[in-house]
Amino acid sequence: MSTPLNPNPGEQPNNPNQWSTKPTSNPGNAQANQQPNQQPNQGQPAAPKAEAPKPAAAKQIEWPVWFYGGAFLLSLLTSFLAVGRVKEANEYGFIKFVMNWWGSVSISSSGFGGFAEAMLAEEELSGGALYVITCLIVLGLLGAAAYFAWKGSEKQAGLLGLAAAAVQLLAVLVKLIDIIGTDGVHTGAGWWLWLLLGLGTLLISLQLFKNGRGAVEAKFNEARASAGKRREAK
């Protein structure tokens, strides 16, 4: 095998890569090779964008929450109405006495003097603290029943509703006995409304505690359908 001739054996070649077999890279070819990697693939669809999380739906308020909330509000409002009232008049004058569920007393008279007013006020104000405690217990139990109804605990809501109705009806009964034993005393609007509220709360709470919300709704729908049939029959 022959080697190429070098006219000047003592000198090195001017181009050091003259005898190298490594191919030189072409910048144009490198740019052409890298260009497809830099451009997106137009043949494939773009990846879908991630959807923003939807806000959680608001919790629906069921009818037991409205019922106990309404019983709380009505009991609070009617507690300021007259539980018992006294109004007597004769040839000497008149005396008027009004008391609500908070033990607040309003007395006005003419002809009897301040002694009668003071005696009547002292007799009724001695039990004023008991009225306040009764109101706070009833309102607290109804508020707790509404809270557990909102949480979905029907049994606990019904039990608290039963307790509230029991205290409310007991207060009504005690006041009725007191009114019956006193001449000239009559029940006021606050007494009648608390009686109705206590009976309604007792009925609904008993059904809710025993059978649950579904049974109460079924009975209501049955009664409504029966009433509709009677109207159609007429």
Side-chain angles (χ1 to χ4, degrees):
M1 181 176 181
S2 60
T3 58
L5 297 177
N6 187 358
N8 298 320
E11 296 180 357
Q12 296 293 331
N14 294 331
N15 188 2
N17 297 327
Q18 182 178 0
W19 307 105
S20 175
T21 60
K22 183 178 180 180
T24 59
S25 60
N26 190 354
N29 294 334
Q31 184 177 4
N33 292 333
Q34 294 177 1
Q35 186 175 1
N37 296 332
Q38 296 176 356
Q39 295 179 354
N41 190 357
Q42 299 179 357
Q44 297 180 357
K49 297 181 179 180
E51 296 182 358
K54 297 181 179 180
K59 185 177 180 179
Q60 185 179 2
I61 301 178
E62 303 293 343
W63 66 262
V65 183
W66 293 110
F67 174 78
Y68 287 116
F72 173 87
L73 183 60
L74 289 176
S75 297
L76 175 62
L77 294 177
T78 55
S79 65
F80 296 98
L81 299 178
V83 179
R85 60 177 64 251
V86 179
K87 185 175 182 181
E88 293 184 359
N90 52 33
E91 63 273 13
Y92 300 103
F94 75 92
I95 183 169
K96 183 178 179 181
F97 167 84
V98 178
M99 183 177 185
N100 62 18
W101 282 115
W102 293 101
S104 178
V105 176
S106 174
I107 301 175
S108 61
S109 67
S110 175
F112 289 95
F115 175 75
E117 294 183 15
M119 183 179 63
L120 190 57
E122 183 180 357
E123 180 181 354
E124 292 296 335
L125 287 175
S126 60
L130 183 60
Y131 284 90
V132 175
I133 294 173
T134 301
C135 281
L136 292 177
I137 292 175
V138 170
L139 295 176
L141 290 173
L142 288 175
Y147 172 77
F148 281 103
W150 180 72
K151 287 293 186 180
S153 303
E154 298 177 1
K155 294 288 185 181
Q156 293 179 345
L159 184 61
L160 290 169
L162 286 174
V167 175
Q168 199 166 26
L169 291 176
L170 181 61
V172 168
L173 180 61
V174 170
K175 189 60 182 177
L176 178 62
I177 296 173
D178 185 29
I179 290 174
I180 292 175
T182 305
D183 295 334
V185 181
H186 306 281
T187 54
W191 185 90
W192 287 102
L193 290 173
W194 265 44
L195 175 63
L196 296 177
L197 287 171
L199 291 175
T201 304
L202 178 66
L203 178 62
I204 297 299
S205 299
L206 183 61
Q207 295 296 326
L208 190 65
F209 177 73
K210 289 176 58 179
N211 304 319
R213 189 185 67 190
V216 179
E217 294 174 352
K219 289 185 178 181
F220 175 77
N221 293 331
E222 182 180 354
R224 185 173 59 179
S226 178
K229 291 180 180 179
R230 286 196 298 268
R231 286 196 302 266
E232 293 176 357
K234 294 179 180 180

